[in-house]
């Protein structure tokens, strides 16, 4: 019996690539043209940690101002909302409009429908634009727009991991604000770059699912 159903297709802006929303027997998958899996609802421990860890460290969680880039399957957004208070504002920037539609539709139940939370604001577009436009605005910025600093699926995203991008992101933070970055693997060069930009850096290895198996890397970088 066939367990795979394609529910949607979207093109990735400024690239020749497409992504596909697939429903399997028990889970949803977002795959890149060629079949590479970008995300699934099966494993999201590190995506949860990316949103929760920096928010849990805030002194004023009640009214925190948070930026998430991008939405994906909504787990980082849901985890951030779970860690901040009723007066918080959480903006999620997502480049691909169909990803937002999929989260409003069939995907939404898996993450608890965080787009329906009244504290959530959606920005359909490049998170880099919000980083450039806002100064001293966010308490937390959680970035998971690609595989990490290396092996990018969208070449424009390399700016986010460059010294210029890191500095711009840091300037978008309030004093003592925090950036969290997700990566599929550790990256000594990126770790050093964060330090050179003047951030206090903590590198954390987080299980992709449960408490064994594959791990991903999260950097918590605090503005000093
Ligand atoms: C790996 S997924 C994020 C997974 C997410 N952390 C979660 O909890 O499911 C990356 C997402 O970022 C989006 N994206 C990629 N580049 C972006 C950019 N420059 N600005 C905003 N969103 C972007 C992609 O379309 C995709 O939905």
């Amino acid at each position: 019996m066939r367990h795979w159903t394609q529910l949607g297709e979207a093109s990735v802006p400024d690239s020749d690539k497409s992504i596909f929303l697939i429903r399997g027997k028990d889970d949803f998958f977002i795959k890149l043209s060629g079949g590479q899996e970008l995300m699934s609802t099966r494993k999201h421990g590190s995506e949860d940690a990316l949103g929760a860890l920096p928010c849990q460290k805030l002194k004023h969680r009640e009214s925190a101002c948070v930026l998430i880039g991008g939405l994906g399957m909504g787990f980082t957004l849901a985890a951030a909302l779970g860690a901040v208070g009723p007066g918080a504002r959480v903006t999620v920037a997502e480049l691909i409009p169909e990803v937002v539609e999929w989260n409003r539709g069939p995907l939404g139940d898996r993450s608890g429908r965080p787009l329906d939370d009244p504290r959530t604001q959606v920005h359909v577009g490049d998170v880099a634009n919000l980083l450039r436009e806002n100064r001293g605005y966010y308490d937390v910025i959680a970035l998971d727009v690609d595989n990490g600093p290396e092996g990018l699926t969208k070449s424009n995203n390399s700016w986010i991991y460059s010294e210029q991008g890191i500095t711009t992101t840091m300037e978008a933070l309030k004093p003592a604000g925090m950036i969290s970055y997700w990566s599929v693997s550790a990256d000594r060069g990126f770790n050093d770059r964060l330090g050179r930009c003047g951030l206090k850096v903590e590198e954390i290895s987080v299980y992709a699912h449960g408490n064994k198996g594959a791990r991903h890397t999260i950097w918590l970088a605090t503005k000093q």
Side-chain angles (χ1 to χ4, degrees):
M1 194 170 125
R2 186 168 167 266
H3 288 306
W4 300 94
T5 311
Q6 185 178 311
L7 301 180
E9 176 178 357
S11 41
V12 180
D14 304 321
S15 89
D16 56 358
K17 294 173 183 152
S18 295
I19 57 166
F20 302 87
L21 176 64
I22 314 265
R23 180 163 47 208
K25 184 166 171 283
D26 299 313
D27 283 285
F28 292 90
F29 301 82
I30 294 182
K31 296 194 176 194
L32 203 56
S33 3
Q36 186 195 342
E37 184 181 307
L38 283 181
M39 291 166 262
S40 88
T41 51
R42 205 161 39 188
K43 295 177 181 176
H44 51 87
S46 58
E47 288 82 357
D48 297 344
L50 181 80
L53 290 177
C55 292
Q56 285 164 354
K57 286 178 182 270
L58 286 178
K59 284 208 179 88
H60 306 288
R61 289 158 63 173
E62 281 302 294
S63 54
C65 184
V66 179
L67 173 63
I68 312 278
L71 175 61
M73 292 184 156
F75 295 113
T76 301
L77 171 61
L81 286 165
V84 294
R89 283 160 296 153
V90 183
T91 301
V92 61
E94 172 53 52
L95 192 66
I96 303 178
E98 288 87 343
V99 169
V100 177
E101 281 169 30
W102 298 343
N103 277 270
R104 292 202 193 283
L107 265 182
D109 287 341
R110 294 308 176 99
S111 56
R113 299 215 164 263
L115 293 182
D116 293 346
D117 191 303
R119 297 169 295 170
T120 301
Q121 287 191 338
V122 180
H123 171 85
V124 179
D126 194 328
V127 69
N129 294 335
L130 295 185
L131 299 175
R132 290 187 181 105
E133 286 163 13
N134 292 290
R135 286 283 167 276
Y137 191 72
Y138 299 108
D139 295 292
V140 164
I141 299 172
L143 294 174
D144 178 15
V145 290
D146 223 303
N147 288 325
E150 296 295 332
L152 301 165
T153 55
K154 187 177 174 308
S155 58
N156 290 2
N157 280 339
S158 60
W159 177 83
I160 285 174
Y161 304 98
S162 69
E163 283 199 22
Q164 200 188 4
I166 295 166
T167 302
T168 302
T169 306
M170 189 171 75
E171 287 170 0
L173 288 173
K174 291 179 189 164
M178 216 177 294
I179 316 169
S180 58
Y181 293 92
W182 186 97
S183 174
V184 71
S185 56
D187 185 320
R188 181 57 42 205
F190 182 64
N191 192 84
D192 294 348
R193 220 175 298 151
L194 291 170
R196 277 202 302 279
C197 290
L199 290 154
K200 187 172 147 237
V201 188
E202 190 184 348
E203 184 183 307
I204 306 171
S205 177
V206 181
Y207 286 111
H209 181 66
N211 56 8
K212 61 179 179 192
R215 289 174 183 240
H216 297 144
T217 299
I218 290 174
W219 289 276
L220 291 182
T222 308
K223 186 171 179 175
Q224 306 189 77

